[in-house]
Amino acid sequence: MRVLQRSEHLLEVKDLKTYFHMEGGRTAKAVDGVSFHIDRGETLALVGESGSGKSITSLSVMRLIPQPPGDIVDGSIKLDGKELLTLSDREMRKVRGNDIGMIFQEPMTSLNPVFTIGNQIAETLIKHKKMTKKQAYAKAVELLRVVGFARAEEIIHEYPHQLSGGMRQRAMIAIAMSCDPKLLIADEPTTALDVTIQAQILDLMVEMKEKFDSSILLITHDLGVVAEVADRVMVMYGGQIVEEAKAEELFTNPKHPYTTGLMGSIPNIDGEVERLESIPGTVPPAHRFPEGCRFAPRCKHVMEQCTQSNPELSEVNRKHKVRCYLYEPAGGEGGHQNGTDERKTVRST
Amino acid sequence: MEQTKEKLLEVRNLKKYFPVKGGILQRTIGHVKAVDDVSIDIYKGETLGIVGESGSGKSTLGRTILRLLDPTDGNVIFEGNDISSIRQGKMRQYRQDMQMVFQDPFASLNPRMSVGEIIEEPMLVQRTMGRKERKEKVVDLLRKVGLPPEAREKYPHEFSGGQRQRIGIARALSMNPKFVIGDEPVSALDVSVQSQVLNLMEDLQDEFDLTYLFIAHDLSVVKHISDRVGVMYLGRMAEIGPKERIYNNPLHPYTKALLSSVPVPDVKRRREKIKLKGELPSPSNPPTGCTFHTRCPEAHARCKTERPELVHQGDGQYVACHLYTGGA
Ligand SMILES: Nc1ncnc2c1ncn2[C@@H]1O[C@H](COP(=O)(O)OP(=O)(O)OP(=O)(O)O)[C@@H](O)[C@H]1O
Ligand SMILES: Nc1ncnc2c1ncn2[C@@H]1O[C@H](COP(=O)(O)OP(=O)(O)OP(=O)(O)O)[C@@H](O)[C@H]1O
Ligand code: SF4
Ligand code: SF4
Ligand SMILES: [Mg+2]
Ligand SMILES: [Mg+2]
């Protein structure tokens, strides 16, 4: 029962399923029942190993899934209360230009090599903000200054190949922010960069977010980056969210065996451990998920019921959700109704 | 960590310059000084980590030490023998003692060879073992790196990234090397798999008494696995020393900035970052004096003209920076 009003969440994704139909009749369930929301001004991080479905989740929100072989088979994606999945291609293009900006991992794939940087920023402004050419170029120079180009007047005349990796990534951010998007989706925005440049880019993203009062969906596999900028974190495994909590809660009190395994796997620059933890095996491919809990073949806490059915993502407390039978209500199956603290908590050292 | 302090390898004033071609005639118009006057000692049984930004010359240093690239100048002395100038033919004798594990487990294994053939190949080249002995050794190595004997019959594409890296390690170990260079050996792997391979490398080091040169851009990984760490900037060693010194008491402004930039997976410890201006300058046209002066927060007049040399600061820590040699 929802009263008609400005919806409280900026983005609300419900039970999203994005499948790929592969040769030989197999189906890759890249995103398989994902629900989450992002609030205004919030930075939500999506973490997980390669192949867990992070990029497909974000491309689904942008409706950029190649079809065929891909298909959003179920779910709902609401931006500011407006359902995106039923929009026409034309309306969706408008949303991409005006409301959502995207930064990709490899800027060269998204910057057009035959146009100057200025041209690429101005083009979006002319198209979506109905500016004149002159206004658009003036705004382009301003934006490039904001992202830290001292020689902005010169940079607008340069082509992507004339810039270094870090400069290209900054130019990408300028383009993504050019229409004051409400939501910025950044898919591994700093993975290809050196740490000193990464630090500059992360600062810049946070600064831009505050300046334009937008929200960020940050996709990364680097837990250090998450701790640095995220308000809230979702951990993804096998096409599903397995844990979700405020950043502080997740890092101080991780619960899912996959999350704790991941955290134990990374050497900490501040600490010293004799031996790193490791998770045996590898991430299963999206067309061959195991029966039951998708993490079961790699989990050291695996129990009988884990191989029979897949646990629900359920609340362990108001701020923390986990998909694992170790944290399901005692005796219950798949219950995720309310947030009493009557939970069977098993220590996972 | 119990170093016998016996040197396995000495690198002396090593240089590797690549020609830059230009113009219609493709003449050499300059040089990329990828490795520019690097001297390091590597002790028996230790792991020396090498860090630095992309393009700082880490891979070139490793390849030049192994003579996969011929040095422009300088010497590499392995167990007392200068291998930097001997003929490639004579190099074969040292090749088996020195092996390399590469970053990309997908590109570094021949896709048309079975895993058994891949691991056996270096033994075939050396022609010191019989057929039966070689086959046994292959199975033994597979077991050591945590793969089943059946893996022999399979091909690289049938394995995951982490498993392929294990195969690459098994191959590198097939000649009982003394010295192994890992050039970003875990960088392409997912974190959960990365720790599997790091643990494996540590186990094998103990078992076979190996000495490692471990190249990586991930400072946390390097800290975990190394005994000593060297920090490269634009082809030169900016600072080198025991890891406790480098990580707890960095002296070079570049090392400080680099360490402060590493994001730490701990929400309670968001730390103050030292911001660097600009980006890595082009190595074909490096800045004069201290090559870091264009980005250094502490640069002073002397830095623009005079090149700092590595100077011992105690406890095995060496720094190339004028701040530590009598000030400005
Ligand atoms: N075009 C496609 N056809 C079939 N399967 C696909 C296709 N694109 C993606 N997938 C599968 O969907 C799953 C999720 O992929 P996705 O790119 O979202 O992973 P990711 O979490 O972003 O990984 P990475 O960290 O490597 O970027 C993977 O198993 C992948 O193989
Ligand atoms: N074969 C080559 N010919 C010309 N230049 C080269 C060659 N190999 C490397 N270089 C140049 O030498 C410099 C050092 O490169 P190198 O690959 O050693 O760096 P690196 O520190 O390993 O970087 P990364 O972290 O990106 O692997 C770079 O400027 C590179 O472009
Ligand atoms: S449900 Fe079972 S197998 Fe899955 S993570 Fe929890 S304990 Fe492990
Ligand atoms: S020599 Fe000068 S420019 Fe170089 S690192 Fe030291 S203070 Fe900075
Ligand atoms: Mg991805
Ligand atoms: Mg390299």
mmCIF file with all atom_site columns, all heavy atoms in Angstrom, chain B residues 54-66:
data_model
loop_
_atom_site.group_PDB
_atom_site.id
_atom_site.type_symbol
_atom_site.label_atom_id
_atom_site.label_alt_id
_atom_site.label_comp_id
_atom_site.label_asym_id
_atom_site.label_entity_id
_atom_site.label_seq_id
_atom_site.pdbx_PDB_ins_code
_atom_site.Cartn_x
_atom_site.Cartn_y
_atom_site.Cartn_z
_atom_site.occupancy
_atom_site.B_iso_or_equiv
_atom_site.pdbx_formal_charge
_atom_site.auth_seq_id
_atom_site.auth_comp_id
_atom_site.auth_asym_id
_atom_site.auth_atom_id
_atom_site.pdbx_PDB_model_num
ATOM 1  N N   . SER B 1 54 ? 52.397 1.607   -12.735 1.00 0.00 ? 54 SER B N   1
ATOM 2  C CA  . SER B 1 54 ? 52.472 1.055   -14.074 1.00 0.00 ? 54 SER B CA  1
ATOM 3  C C   . SER B 1 54 ? 53.495 1.834   -14.902 1.00 0.00 ? 54 SER B C   1
ATOM 4  O O   . SER B 1 54 ? 53.495 3.060   -14.889 1.00 0.00 ? 54 SER B O   1
ATOM 5  C CB  . SER B 1 54 ? 51.091 1.163   -14.724 1.00 0.00 ? 54 SER B CB  1
ATOM 6  O OG  . SER B 1 54 ? 51.129 0.616   -15.997 1.00 0.00 ? 54 SER B OG  1
ATOM 7  N N   . GLY B 1 55 ? 54.389 1.140   -15.584 1.00 0.00 ? 55 GLY B N   1
ATOM 8  C CA  . GLY B 1 55 ? 55.381 1.805   -16.411 1.00 0.00 ? 55 GLY B CA  1
ATOM 9  C C   . GLY B 1 55 ? 56.648 2.168   -15.670 1.00 0.00 ? 55 GLY B C   1
ATOM 10 O O   . GLY B 1 55 ? 57.566 2.758   -16.238 1.00 0.00 ? 55 GLY B O   1
ATOM 11 N N   . SER B 1 56 ? 56.749 1.806   -14.381 1.00 0.00 ? 56 SER B N   1
ATOM 12 C CA  . SER B 1 56 ? 57.940 2.182   -13.626 1.00 0.00 ? 56 SER B CA  1
ATOM 13 C C   . SER B 1 56 ? 59.130 1.272   -13.931 1.00 0.00 ? 56 SER B C   1
ATOM 14 O O   . SER B 1 56 ? 60.243 1.555   -13.498 1.00 0.00 ? 56 SER B O   1
ATOM 15 C CB  . SER B 1 56 ? 57.638 2.179   -12.124 1.00 0.00 ? 56 SER B CB  1
ATOM 16 O OG  . SER B 1 56 ? 57.166 0.918   -11.707 1.00 0.00 ? 56 SER B OG  1
ATOM 17 N N   . GLY B 1 57 ? 58.908 0.171   -14.658 1.00 0.00 ? 57 GLY B N   1
ATOM 18 C CA  . GLY B 1 57 ? 60.026 -0.660  -15.093 1.00 0.00 ? 57 GLY B CA  1
ATOM 19 C C   . GLY B 1 57 ? 60.169 -1.979  -14.360 1.00 0.00 ? 57 GLY B C   1
ATOM 20 O O   . GLY B 1 57 ? 61.192 -2.668  -14.502 1.00 0.00 ? 57 GLY B O   1
ATOM 21 N N   . LYS B 1 58 ? 59.154 -2.383  -13.609 1.00 0.00 ? 58 LYS B N   1
ATOM 22 C CA  . LYS B 1 58 ? 59.236 -3.610  -12.810 1.00 0.00 ? 58 LYS B CA  1
ATOM 23 C C   . LYS B 1 58 ? 59.435 -4.843  -13.688 1.00 0.00 ? 58 LYS B C   1
ATOM 24 O O   . LYS B 1 58 ? 60.344 -5.650  -13.452 1.00 0.00 ? 58 LYS B O   1
ATOM 25 C CB  . LYS B 1 58 ? 57.952 -3.775  -11.973 1.00 0.00 ? 58 LYS B CB  1
ATOM 26 C CG  . LYS B 1 58 ? 57.619 -2.576  -11.103 1.00 0.00 ? 58 LYS B CG  1
ATOM 27 C CD  . LYS B 1 58 ? 56.361 -2.790  -10.297 1.00 0.00 ? 58 LYS B CD  1
ATOM 28 C CE  . LYS B 1 58 ? 55.079 -2.924  -11.096 1.00 0.00 ? 58 LYS B CE  1
ATOM 29 N NZ  . LYS B 1 58 ? 54.683 -1.734  -11.852 1.00 0.00 ? 58 LYS B NZ  1
ATOM 30 N N   . SER B 1 59 ? 58.588 -4.989  -14.703 1.00 0.00 ? 59 SER B N   1
ATOM 31 C CA  . SER B 1 59 ? 58.684 -6.171  -15.561 1.00 0.00 ? 59 SER B CA  1
ATOM 32 C C   . SER B 1 59 ? 59.994 -6.185  -16.328 1.00 0.00 ? 59 SER B C   1
ATOM 33 O O   . SER B 1 59 ? 60.630 -7.228  -16.493 1.00 0.00 ? 59 SER B O   1
ATOM 34 C CB  . SER B 1 59 ? 57.530 -6.204  -16.567 1.00 0.00 ? 59 SER B CB  1
ATOM 35 O OG  . SER B 1 59 ? 56.309 -6.280  -15.889 1.00 0.00 ? 59 SER B OG  1
ATOM 36 N N   . THR B 1 60 ? 60.401 -5.017  -16.802 1.00 0.00 ? 60 THR B N   1
ATOM 37 C CA  . THR B 1 60 ? 61.644 -4.946  -17.569 1.00 0.00 ? 60 THR B CA  1
ATOM 38 C C   . THR B 1 60 ? 62.824 -5.353  -16.689 1.00 0.00 ? 60 THR B C   1
ATOM 39 O O   . THR B 1 60 ? 63.729 -6.057  -17.139 1.00 0.00 ? 60 THR B O   1
ATOM 40 C CB  . THR B 1 60 ? 61.849 -3.523  -18.130 1.00 0.00 ? 60 THR B CB  1
ATOM 41 O OG1 . THR B 1 60 ? 60.666 -3.151  -18.846 1.00 0.00 ? 60 THR B OG1 1
ATOM 42 C CG2 . THR B 1 60 ? 63.050 -3.457  -19.057 1.00 0.00 ? 60 THR B CG2 1
ATOM 43 N N   . LEU B 1 61 ? 62.799 -4.940  -15.435 1.00 0.00 ? 61 LEU B N   1
ATOM 44 C CA  . LEU B 1 61 ? 63.863 -5.332  -14.515 1.00 0.00 ? 61 LEU B CA  1
ATOM 45 C C   . LEU B 1 61 ? 63.914 -6.865  -14.404 1.00 0.00 ? 61 LEU B C   1
ATOM 46 O O   . LEU B 1 61 ? 64.980 -7.472  -14.538 1.00 0.00 ? 61 LEU B O   1
ATOM 47 C CB  . LEU B 1 61 ? 63.622 -4.707  -13.134 1.00 0.00 ? 61 LEU B CB  1
ATOM 48 C CG  . LEU B 1 61 ? 64.582 -5.140  -12.017 1.00 0.00 ? 61 LEU B CG  1
ATOM 49 C CD1 . LEU B 1 61 ? 66.010 -4.660  -12.322 1.00 0.00 ? 61 LEU B CD1 1
ATOM 50 C CD2 . LEU B 1 61 ? 64.141 -4.599  -10.652 1.00 0.00 ? 61 LEU B CD2 1
ATOM 51 N N   . GLY B 1 62 ? 62.754 -7.481  -14.183 1.00 0.00 ? 62 GLY B N   1
ATOM 52 C CA  . GLY B 1 62 ? 62.706 -8.935  -14.054 1.00 0.00 ? 62 GLY B CA  1
ATOM 53 C C   . GLY B 1 62 ? 63.194 -9.640  -15.303 1.00 0.00 ? 62 GLY B C   1
ATOM 54 O O   . GLY B 1 62 ? 63.998 -10.577 -15.244 1.00 0.00 ? 62 GLY B O   1
ATOM 55 N N   . ARG B 1 63 ? 62.740 -9.168  -16.444 1.00 0.00 ? 63 ARG B N   1
ATOM 56 C CA  . ARG B 1 63 ? 63.118 -9.824  -17.697 1.00 0.00 ? 63 ARG B CA  1
ATOM 57 C C   . ARG B 1 63 ? 64.595 -9.642  -18.014 1.00 0.00 ? 63 ARG B C   1
ATOM 58 O O   . ARG B 1 63 ? 65.221 -10.513 -18.609 1.00 0.00 ? 63 ARG B O   1
ATOM 59 C CB  . ARG B 1 63 ? 62.297 -9.253  -18.864 1.00 0.00 ? 63 ARG B CB  1
ATOM 60 C CG  . ARG B 1 63 ? 60.874 -9.750  -18.853 1.00 0.00 ? 63 ARG B CG  1
ATOM 61 C CD  . ARG B 1 63 ? 59.975 -8.868  -19.702 1.00 0.00 ? 63 ARG B CD  1
ATOM 62 N NE  . ARG B 1 63 ? 58.589 -9.240  -19.476 1.00 0.00 ? 63 ARG B NE  1
ATOM 63 C CZ  . ARG B 1 63 ? 57.943 -10.148 -20.204 1.00 0.00 ? 63 ARG B CZ  1
ATOM 64 N NH1 . ARG B 1 63 ? 58.537 -10.715 -21.232 1.00 0.00 ? 63 ARG B NH1 1
ATOM 65 N NH2 . ARG B 1 63 ? 56.712 -10.473 -19.917 1.00 0.00 ? 63 ARG B NH2 1
ATOM 66 N N   . THR B 1 64 ? 65.134 -8.499  -17.644 1.00 0.00 ? 64 THR B N   1
ATOM 67 C CA  . THR B 1 64 ? 66.546 -8.254  -17.932 1.00 0.00 ? 64 THR B CA  1
ATOM 68 C C   . THR B 1 64 ? 67.427 -9.097  -17.012 1.00 0.00 ? 64 THR B C   1
ATOM 69 O O   . THR B 1 64 ? 68.472 -9.604  -17.428 1.00 0.00 ? 64 THR B O   1
ATOM 70 C CB  . THR B 1 64 ? 66.875 -6.747  -17.806 1.00 0.00 ? 64 THR B CB  1
ATOM 71 O OG1 . THR B 1 64 ? 65.890 -6.002  -18.509 1.00 0.00 ? 64 THR B OG1 1
ATOM 72 C CG2 . THR B 1 64 ? 68.237 -6.425  -18.398 1.00 0.00 ? 64 THR B CG2 1
ATOM 73 N N   . ILE B 1 65 ? 66.989 -9.273  -15.770 1.00 0.00 ? 65 ILE B N   1
ATOM 74 C CA  . ILE B 1 65 ? 67.752 -10.131 -14.848 1.00 0.00 ? 65 ILE B CA  1
ATOM 75 C C   . ILE B 1 65 ? 67.825 -11.548 -15.410 1.00 0.00 ? 65 ILE B C   1
ATOM 76 O O   . ILE B 1 65 ? 68.873 -12.200 -15.399 1.00 0.00 ? 65 ILE B O   1
ATOM 77 C CB  . ILE B 1 65 ? 67.113 -10.138 -13.438 1.00 0.00 ? 65 ILE B CB  1
ATOM 78 C CG1 . ILE B 1 65 ? 67.327 -8.779  -12.760 1.00 0.00 ? 65 ILE B CG1 1
ATOM 79 C CG2 . ILE B 1 65 ? 67.704 -11.253 -12.570 1.00 0.00 ? 65 ILE B CG2 1
ATOM 80 C CD1 . ILE B 1 65 ? 66.618 -8.636  -11.420 1.00 0.00 ? 65 ILE B CD1 1
ATOM 81 N N   . LEU B 1 66 ? 66.726 -12.021 -15.964 1.00 0.00 ? 66 LEU B N   1
ATOM 82 C CA  . LEU B 1 66 ? 66.687 -13.384 -16.501 1.00 0.00 ? 66 LEU B CA  1
ATOM 83 C C   . LEU B 1 66 ? 67.278 -13.499 -17.899 1.00 0.00 ? 66 LEU B C   1
ATOM 84 O O   . LEU B 1 66 ? 67.258 -14.559 -18.495 1.00 0.00 ? 66 LEU B O   1
ATOM 85 C CB  . LEU B 1 66 ? 65.243 -13.901 -16.550 1.00 0.00 ? 66 LEU B CB  1
ATOM 86 C CG  . LEU B 1 66 ? 64.615 -14.323 -15.237 1.00 0.00 ? 66 LEU B CG  1
ATOM 87 C CD1 . LEU B 1 66 ? 63.399 -15.178 -15.490 1.00 0.00 ? 66 LEU B CD1 1
ATOM 88 C CD2 . LEU B 1 66 ? 65.594 -15.085 -14.369 1.00 0.00 ? 66 LEU B CD2 1
#
